Amino acid sequence: MPELPEVEVTRRSFVDAIEGAQVLAVSLGKPLRWPLACLPQELVGRSVKTVDRRGKYLLIALSQGWLLVHLGMSGSLRFAADLPAPGVHDHFELVTTRGCLRLNDPRRFGAVVYVESLSSPMAIKLLGRLGMEPLSETFELGLFTQGLKRRKMPIKQVLLAGELVVGVGNIYASEALFLAGIRPTSPAHTLSRPKAARLYAAIRDVLARAVEQGGSTLRDFSSSDGKPGYFQLEAMVYGRAGLPCKRCDTVIKLLRQGQRSTFYCPTCQKA
Ligand SMILES: [Zn+2]
Protein backbone atom coordinates (compact mmCIF):
# COMPACT_ATOMS: atom_id res chain seq x y z
CA MET A 1 0.00 0.00 0.00
CA PRO A 2 1.43 3.40 -0.91
CA GLU A 3 2.35 5.31 2.24
CA LEU A 4 3.30 8.96 2.65
CA PRO A 5 6.89 8.48 1.42
CA GLU A 6 5.72 6.80 -1.80
CA VAL A 7 3.20 9.58 -2.37
CA GLU A 8 5.83 12.25 -1.76
CA VAL A 9 8.32 10.55 -4.08
CA THR A 10 5.59 10.27 -6.72
CA ARG A 11 4.89 14.00 -6.36
CA ARG A 12 8.55 14.90 -6.74
CA SER A 13 8.82 12.66 -9.80
CA PHE A 14 6.51 14.83 -11.91
CA VAL A 15 5.86 18.17 -10.19
CA ASP A 16 8.49 20.09 -12.17
CA ALA A 17 7.60 18.44 -15.47
CA ILE A 18 3.86 19.10 -15.29
CA GLU A 19 3.90 22.68 -13.99
CA GLY A 20 2.51 25.03 -16.61
CA ALA A 21 1.10 22.23 -18.75
CA GLN A 22 -2.31 22.74 -20.33
CA VAL A 23 -4.99 20.04 -20.16
CA LEU A 24 -5.82 18.65 -23.60
CA ALA A 25 -8.10 15.77 -22.60
CA VAL A 26 -9.26 13.74 -19.63
CA SER A 27 -10.27 10.13 -19.89
CA LEU A 28 -11.75 7.82 -17.30
CA GLY A 29 -11.68 4.03 -16.95
CA LYS A 30 -13.76 2.06 -14.49
CA PRO A 31 -15.24 3.81 -11.43
CA LEU A 32 -12.81 4.56 -8.62
CA ARG A 33 -13.59 5.01 -4.94
CA TRP A 34 -15.26 8.40 -5.52
CA PRO A 35 -16.48 9.96 -8.77
CA LEU A 36 -14.53 12.75 -10.46
CA ALA A 37 -17.33 15.18 -9.57
CA CYS A 38 -17.12 17.18 -12.79
CA LEU A 39 -17.44 16.47 -16.49
CA PRO A 40 -14.03 15.49 -17.87
CA GLN A 41 -14.30 18.03 -20.74
CA GLU A 42 -14.73 20.88 -18.23
CA LEU A 43 -11.05 20.52 -17.35
CA VAL A 44 -9.83 20.92 -20.93
CA GLY A 45 -7.96 24.18 -21.47
CA ARG A 46 -7.07 24.67 -17.81
CA SER A 47 -3.43 24.72 -16.83
CA VAL A 48 -1.60 22.91 -14.05
CA LYS A 49 -0.16 25.41 -11.56
CA THR A 50 1.56 23.06 -9.14
CA VAL A 51 1.28 19.77 -7.29
CA ASP A 52 1.22 19.78 -3.50
CA ARG A 53 0.69 16.99 -1.01
CA ARG A 54 -1.42 16.75 2.12
CA GLY A 55 -1.10 13.44 3.96
CA LYS A 56 -1.50 10.79 1.27
CA TYR A 57 -3.41 13.10 -1.07
CA LEU A 58 -1.80 14.80 -4.02
CA LEU A 59 -3.32 18.20 -4.66
CA ILE A 60 -3.06 19.20 -8.29
CA ALA A 61 -3.76 22.93 -8.47
CA LEU A 62 -5.35 23.92 -11.78
CA SER A 63 -5.85 27.46 -13.11
CA GLN A 64 -9.36 26.90 -11.76
CA GLY A 65 -10.09 24.25 -9.13
CA TRP A 66 -8.10 21.31 -7.84
CA LEU A 67 -7.78 17.61 -8.49
CA LEU A 68 -7.33 15.58 -5.30
CA VAL A 69 -5.63 12.28 -6.02
CA HIS A 70 -5.42 9.33 -3.63
CA LEU A 71 -3.59 6.12 -4.53
CA GLY A 72 -5.75 3.90 -2.32
CA MET A 73 -4.42 0.40 -1.73
CA SER A 74 -2.73 -0.32 -5.03
CA GLY A 75 -2.57 2.87 -7.10
CA SER A 76 0.41 4.40 -8.84
CA LEU A 77 0.83 7.46 -11.01
CA ARG A 78 3.07 7.89 -14.00
CA PHE A 79 3.76 11.03 -15.93
CA ALA A 80 5.54 10.82 -19.26
CA ALA A 81 5.55 12.45 -22.65
CA ASP A 82 4.87 9.15 -24.29
CA LEU A 83 2.99 6.28 -22.65
CA PRO A 84 1.85 2.99 -24.15
CA ALA A 85 -1.90 2.54 -24.81
CA PRO A 86 -3.94 2.44 -21.57
CA GLY A 87 -4.28 -0.99 -19.97
CA VAL A 88 -7.16 -2.63 -18.15
CA HIS A 89 -6.11 -1.12 -14.78
CA ASP A 90 -5.59 2.45 -16.00
CA HIS A 91 -8.60 4.39 -14.74
CA PHE A 92 -7.71 8.06 -15.05
CA GLU A 93 -5.69 9.97 -17.55
CA LEU A 94 -4.88 13.66 -17.73
CA VAL A 95 -3.46 14.38 -21.16
CA THR A 96 -1.52 17.65 -21.19
CA THR A 97 0.76 19.63 -23.47
CA ARG A 98 3.74 18.31 -21.47
CA GLY A 99 2.75 14.68 -21.23
CA CYS A 100 0.20 12.30 -19.84
CA LEU A 101 -0.51 11.70 -16.15
CA ARG A 102 -1.99 8.24 -15.68
CA LEU A 103 -3.41 6.45 -12.63
CA ASN A 104 -3.03 2.68 -12.62
CA ASP A 105 -5.09 1.11 -9.83
CA PRO A 106 -5.94 -2.62 -9.99
CA ARG A 107 -8.04 -2.61 -6.81
CA ARG A 108 -9.71 0.78 -7.48
CA PHE A 109 -9.65 2.06 -3.89
CA GLY A 110 -7.89 5.14 -5.21
CA ALA A 111 -9.65 8.24 -6.50
CA VAL A 112 -9.33 11.46 -8.45
CA VAL A 113 -11.81 14.07 -7.24
CA TYR A 114 -12.35 17.57 -8.62
CA VAL A 115 -13.10 20.36 -6.14
CA GLU A 116 -13.64 24.06 -6.85
CA SER A 117 -11.65 25.06 -3.79
CA LEU A 118 -9.96 23.53 -0.78
CA SER A 119 -12.78 24.87 1.39
CA SER A 120 -15.49 23.02 -0.55
CA PRO A 121 -17.38 20.36 1.45
CA MET A 122 -15.71 17.42 -0.35
CA ALA A 123 -12.23 18.87 0.20
CA ILE A 124 -13.01 19.35 3.88
CA LYS A 125 -14.41 15.83 4.11
CA LEU A 126 -11.19 14.38 2.67
CA LEU A 127 -8.56 16.74 4.09
CA GLY A 128 -10.20 18.45 7.07
CA ARG A 129 -9.25 16.02 9.81
CA LEU A 130 -5.66 15.43 8.78
CA GLY A 131 -3.03 16.06 11.44
CA MET A 132 0.30 17.87 11.13
CA GLU A 133 2.61 17.16 8.18
CA PRO A 134 5.59 15.30 9.64
CA LEU A 135 8.09 16.52 7.05
CA SER A 136 7.04 20.17 7.14
CA GLU A 137 7.78 23.05 9.50
CA THR A 138 4.19 22.89 10.76
CA PHE A 139 5.15 19.72 12.65
CA GLU A 140 6.18 21.25 15.97
CA LEU A 141 7.42 19.44 19.03
CA GLY A 142 5.31 21.61 21.36
CA LEU A 143 2.07 20.87 19.48
CA PHE A 144 2.97 17.20 19.21
CA THR A 145 3.60 16.92 22.96
CA GLN A 146 0.36 18.77 23.78
CA GLY A 147 -1.53 16.46 21.43
CA LEU A 148 -0.12 13.38 23.15
CA LYS A 149 -1.15 14.74 26.56
CA ARG A 150 -4.77 14.99 25.37
CA ARG A 151 -4.94 11.39 24.12
CA LYS A 152 -5.35 8.31 26.30
CA MET A 153 -5.23 5.67 23.55
CA PRO A 154 -2.10 3.54 23.10
CA ILE A 155 0.58 5.60 21.39
CA LYS A 156 0.76 3.32 18.35
CA GLN A 157 -2.95 3.80 17.66
CA VAL A 158 -2.67 7.55 18.12
CA LEU A 159 0.01 7.60 15.43
CA LEU A 160 -1.99 5.41 13.03
CA ALA A 161 -5.15 7.49 13.47
CA GLY A 162 -3.44 10.38 11.65
CA GLU A 163 -5.31 13.12 13.49
CA LEU A 164 -2.27 14.36 15.39
CA VAL A 165 0.34 13.70 12.71
CA VAL A 166 -0.30 12.22 9.26
CA GLY A 167 1.62 9.62 7.31
CA VAL A 168 2.86 7.42 10.12
CA GLY A 169 1.53 4.11 8.78
CA ASN A 170 1.98 0.72 10.41
CA ILE A 171 5.59 0.13 9.39
CA TYR A 172 6.76 3.64 10.23
CA ALA A 173 4.92 3.69 13.57
CA SER A 174 6.55 0.41 14.65
CA GLU A 175 9.99 1.60 13.57
CA ALA A 176 9.69 5.08 15.11
CA LEU A 177 8.53 3.65 18.45
CA PHE A 178 11.50 1.28 18.45
CA LEU A 179 13.94 4.11 17.73
CA ALA A 180 12.39 6.17 20.52
CA GLY A 181 12.43 3.22 22.96
CA ILE A 182 8.67 3.38 23.57
CA ARG A 183 6.33 0.41 24.14
CA PRO A 184 3.55 0.65 21.48
CA THR A 185 0.86 -0.05 24.08
CA SER A 186 1.80 2.89 26.35
CA PRO A 187 -1.08 5.36 26.68
CA ALA A 188 -0.09 8.50 24.75
CA HIS A 189 -0.72 10.88 27.66
CA THR A 190 1.75 9.03 29.91
CA LEU A 191 4.81 9.68 27.70
CA SER A 192 7.40 11.88 29.39
CA ARG A 193 8.65 15.01 27.62
CA PRO A 194 12.01 13.44 26.72
CA LYS A 195 10.22 10.40 25.28
CA ALA A 196 7.84 12.59 23.29
CA ALA A 197 10.85 14.49 21.94
CA ARG A 198 12.60 11.26 20.96
CA LEU A 199 9.47 10.03 19.22
CA TYR A 200 9.07 13.32 17.37
CA ALA A 201 12.63 13.07 16.08
CA ALA A 202 12.22 9.38 15.20
CA ILE A 203 9.07 10.03 13.12
CA ARG A 204 10.85 12.68 11.08
CA ASP A 205 13.86 10.44 10.73
CA VAL A 206 12.09 7.29 9.48
CA LEU A 207 9.89 9.19 7.03
CA ALA A 208 12.73 11.33 5.68
CA ARG A 209 14.88 8.25 5.18
CA ALA A 210 12.04 6.46 3.40
CA VAL A 211 11.56 9.41 1.03
CA GLU A 212 15.29 9.52 0.39
CA GLN A 213 15.47 5.80 -0.26
CA GLY A 214 12.32 5.93 -2.38
CA GLY A 215 13.92 8.50 -4.63
CA SER A 216 16.57 6.00 -5.62
CA THR A 217 14.04 3.14 -5.94
CA LEU A 218 11.92 5.26 -8.24
CA ARG A 219 14.87 6.23 -10.38
CA ASP A 220 15.80 2.57 -10.68
CA PHE A 221 12.42 1.39 -11.81
CA SER A 222 11.69 4.22 -14.21
CA SER A 223 14.77 3.23 -16.18
CA SER A 224 13.58 -0.37 -16.43
CA ASP A 225 10.03 -1.59 -16.94
CA GLY A 226 8.12 1.39 -15.55
CA LYS A 227 6.23 -0.68 -12.98
CA PRO A 228 5.55 1.01 -9.66
CA GLY A 229 7.90 0.11 -6.85
CA TYR A 230 6.88 0.47 -3.22
CA PHE A 231 9.73 0.60 -0.82
CA GLN A 232 10.51 -0.20 2.77
CA LEU A 233 13.19 0.76 5.19
CA GLU A 234 15.45 -1.93 6.38
CA ALA A 235 13.31 -2.69 9.41
CA MET A 236 14.57 -2.94 12.99
CA VAL A 237 11.34 -4.54 14.27
CA TYR A 238 8.62 -4.53 11.60
CA GLY A 239 8.06 -8.04 10.20
CA ARG A 240 10.74 -9.50 12.51
CA ALA A 241 8.63 -11.37 15.12
CA GLY A 242 10.63 -14.24 16.63
CA LEU A 243 13.96 -12.88 15.37
CA PRO A 244 16.61 -11.37 17.65
CA CYS A 245 16.57 -7.59 18.18
CA LYS A 246 19.35 -6.03 16.12
CA ARG A 247 20.35 -3.96 19.15
CA CYS A 248 20.09 -6.31 22.14
CA ASP A 249 19.32 -9.85 20.86
CA THR A 250 16.01 -10.11 22.75
CA VAL A 251 13.35 -11.89 20.67
CA ILE A 252 11.06 -9.41 18.85
CA LYS A 253 7.43 -9.76 19.89
CA LEU A 254 4.25 -9.45 17.86
CA LEU A 255 0.90 -8.26 19.15
CA ARG A 256 -2.40 -7.14 17.62
CA GLN A 257 -3.55 -3.58 18.19
CA GLY A 258 -6.80 -2.47 16.56
CA GLN A 259 -6.59 -5.15 13.83
CA ARG A 260 -2.98 -4.23 12.99
CA SER A 261 0.24 -6.10 13.70
CA THR A 262 2.64 -4.40 16.06
CA PHE A 263 6.26 -5.48 16.46
CA TYR A 264 8.45 -4.42 19.37
CA CYS A 265 11.46 -5.37 21.45
CA PRO A 266 10.46 -5.99 25.08
CA THR A 267 13.92 -4.92 26.27
CA CYS A 268 14.54 -1.81 24.15
CA GLN A 269 10.92 -0.66 24.53
CA LYS A 270 10.18 -1.17 28.24
CA ALA A 271 7.36 1.35 28.65
ZN1 LIG B 1 16.17 -4.75 21.76
Side-chain angles (χ1 to χ4, degrees):
M1 178 156 88
E3 294 285 350
L4 184 146
E6 284 91 347
V7 178
E8 175 60 17
V9 169
T10 298
R11 187 188 76 82
R12 292 181 188 183
S13 73
F14 74 95
V15 56
D16 291 342
I18 203 172
E19 269 182 17
Q22 213 173 24
V23 179
L24 298 173
V26 176
S27 57
L28 305 178
K30 288 191 184 139
L32 292 162
R33 181 164 180 188
W34 297 295
L36 179 63
C38 75
L39 294 172
Q41 57 267 33
E42 285 175 46
L43 302 178
V44 173
R46 298 188 194 183
S47 56
V48 176
K49 283 161 53 182
T50 191
V51 183
D52 294 321
R53 182 187 52 76
R54 187 73 181 89
K56 296 208 287 184
Y57 287 89
L58 288 176
L59 282 50
I60 302 177
L62 302 172
S63 46
Q64 184 198 334
W66 301 73
L67 289 171
L68 310 183
V69 182
H70 197 286
L71 300 178
M73 305 287 287
S74 59
S76 61
L77 277 176
R78 280 184 79 192
F79 180 75
D82 199 16
L83 288 177
V88 65
H89 298 305
D90 294 325
H91 301 301
F92 175 84
E93 210 164 59
L94 190 74
V95 184
T96 77
T97 48
R98 299 263 177 89
C100 177
L101 182 69
R102 180 183 285 175
L103 175 67
N104 179 280
D105 188 357
R107 297 182 64 184
R108 292 193 282 124
F109 284 105
V112 181
V113 178
Y114 175 78
V115 294
E116 273 297 323
S117 86
L118 295 183
S119 50
S120 70
M122 188 60 179
I124 288 174
K125 179 186 160 191
L126 298 180
L127 309 173
R129 288 176 69 84
L130 299 180
M132 291 181 279
E133 278 295 331
L135 297 175
S136 85
E137 283 160 19
T138 60
F139 186 41
E140 284 180 26
L141 177 58
L143 294 173
F144 181 63
T145 310
Q146 285 167 30
L148 294 178
K149 286 279 168 240
R150 286 198 304 271
R151 289 168 165 87
K152 295 189 172 158
M153 283 200 313
I155 180 60
K156 168 106 185 300
Q157 276 155 277
V158 168
L159 296 177
L160 290 189
E163 291 180 7
L164 180 56
V165 53
V166 294
V168 191
N170 204 28
I171 300 168
Y172 304 114
S174 289
E175 292 298 301
L177 288 166
F178 174 82
L179 292 178
I182 296 168
R183 184 71 60 101
T185 48
S186 296
H189 72 286
T190 63
L191 294 190
S192 65
R193 273 176 180 277
K195 276 195 172 172
R198 284 211 299 275
L199 180 57
Y200 169 85
I203 288 169
R204 287 185 95 113
D205 178 57
V206 292
L207 290 173
R209 276 193 289 135
V211 169
E212 211 173 282
Q213 191 195 326
S216 55
T217 311
L218 211 69
R219 271 196 302 278
D220 291 347
F221 89 64
S222 60
S223 62
S224 57
D225 62 358
K227 289 239 168 64
Y230 301 139
F231 36 93
Q232 283 186 16
L233 299 171
E234 198 188 321
M236 296 295 280
V237 287
Y238 187 83
R240 300 193 71 249
L243 296 171
C245 172
K246 292 181 180 176
R247 212 173 258 174
C248 75
D249 274 347
T250 304
V251 173
I252 301 295
K253 286 205 163 169
L254 167 67
L255 61 83
R256 303 291 289 177
Q257 279 183 294
Q259 324 286 334
R260 309 297 299 275
S261 303
T262 293
F263 302 87
Y264 69 100
C265 169
T267 303
C268 295
Q269 297 167 265
K270 280 203 185 306

